[in-house]
């Protein structure tokens, strides 16, 4: 097996990736003319079904030069905090560490951990505490941030955070089942991150 390894390596280096990145796709919606034609032959009285991409707004094309602003969409399951807002930078609490996103950032998907999301617009900085979620950074200087829960940092009561941290630490030490331990550990992690956000 190992004596054929060099042959596979040289073949892999000469192979080209055939599927383009999603950010390299054209901005206009894709229509499969073969499918539509086959559908009309089979069922001429019924319109072909629409795909999910037919209901989505077309994505702006990747610009040839780096724009001066980053366009951010920050959404929660129950509301939209920022929609198409042009900002200078966003700092997200990724599981791999704090990640700064500027215009022209490479396309990335990052999982969020409990922490501070900072939105920088000139000298103004808006800070939110997020409990988790995902950030999708596109090559066209758009960033979509989806969080499970988020609250502006100035609306958090430090006394309630300390009380919650104490309560969950006590629950963790007295937990008897794996489910109780997991729930208590999540509570400790979130309240520890909240405490660090408020004190740091």
């Amino acid at each position: 097996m190992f004596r054929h390894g060099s042959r596979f390596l040289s073949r892999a280096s000469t192979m080209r990736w055939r599927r383009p990145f999603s950010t390299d796709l054209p901005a206009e919606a894709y229509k499969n003319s073969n499918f539509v034609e086959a559908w009309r032959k089979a069922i001429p009285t019924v319109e072909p079904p629409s795909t999910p991409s037919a209901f989505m707004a077309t994505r702006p094309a990747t610009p040839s030069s780096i724009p001066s602003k980053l366009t951010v969409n920050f959404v929660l399951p129950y509301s939209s905090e920022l929609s198409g807002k042009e900002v200078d930078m966003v700092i997200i609490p990724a599981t791999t560490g704090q990640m700064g996103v500027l215009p022209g950032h490479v396309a990335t998907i990052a999982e969020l951990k409990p922490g501070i999301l900072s939105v920088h617009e000139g000298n103004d900085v808006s800070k939110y505490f997020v409990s988790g979620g995902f950030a999708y950074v596109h090559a066209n200087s758009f960033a979509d941030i989806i969080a499970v829960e988020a609250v502006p940092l100035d609306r958090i009561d430090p006394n309630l955070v300390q009380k919650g941290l104490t309560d969950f630490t006590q629950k963790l030490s007295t937990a008897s089942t794996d489910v109780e331990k997991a729930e208590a550990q999540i509570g400790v992690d979130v309240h520890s991150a909240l405490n660090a956000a408020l004190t740091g």
Side-chain angles (χ1 to χ4, degrees):
M1 182 170 124
F2 290 115
R3 57 182 184 205
H4 299 294
S6 61
R7 184 177 70 190
F8 292 124
L9 287 175
S10 63
R11 186 185 309 163
S13 64
T14 59
M15 289 175 54
R16 294 186 56 116
W17 182 254
R18 303 214 190 300
R19 184 173 164 215
F21 291 112
S22 64
T23 52
D24 295 336
L25 295 176
E28 59 272 352
Y30 173 74
K31 293 180 182 166
N32 187 341
S33 58
N34 293 334
F35 171 76
V36 172
E37 187 177 311
W39 180 276
R40 291 194 195 281
K41 284 181 183 175
I43 313 171
T45 58
V46 178
E47 283 296 312
S50 296
T51 60
S53 61
F55 299 101
M56 296 169 45
T58 56
R59 178 180 58 254
T62 304
S64 58
S65 63
I66 296 174
S68 62
K69 297 284 186 179
L70 174 72
T71 305
V72 176
N73 298 308
F74 177 33
V75 294
L76 307 173
Y78 48 85
S79 70
S80 176
E81 292 293 318
L82 303 173
S83 180
K85 180 144 179 111
E86 291 190 343
V87 300
D88 296 320
M89 176 176 66
V90 174
I91 299 175
I92 60 172
T95 54
T96 55
Q98 295 286 67
M99 186 170 95
V101 180
L102 295 165
H105 195 283
V106 67
T108 305
I109 298 175
E111 183 181 359
L112 304 180
K113 67 177 182 179
I116 297 176
L117 170 80
S118 302
V119 180
H120 299 258
E121 186 179 7
N123 293 331
D124 297 332
V125 179
S126 302
K127 292 186 178 184
Y128 299 86
F129 182 82
V130 295
S131 62
F134 288 91
Y136 303 91
V137 181
H138 308 281
N140 57 1
S141 292
F142 275 68
D144 298 317
I145 302 167
I146 296 95
V148 178
E149 279 290 334
V151 63
L153 201 57
D154 57 1
R155 290 183 45 203
I156 298 173
D157 184 355
N159 296 325
L160 291 177
V161 172
Q162 287 296 329
K163 182 182 180 307
L165 183 57
T166 304
D167 292 347
F168 278 108
T169 304
Q170 184 180 4
K171 285 180 184 178
L172 183 60
S173 63
T174 60
S176 58
T177 66
D178 288 341
V179 172
E180 289 175 351
K181 288 177 185 174
E183 288 174 348
Q185 185 62 55
I186 290 169
V188 168
D189 291 346
V190 170
H191 282 82
S192 296
L194 271 166
N195 191 39
L198 291 170
T199 58

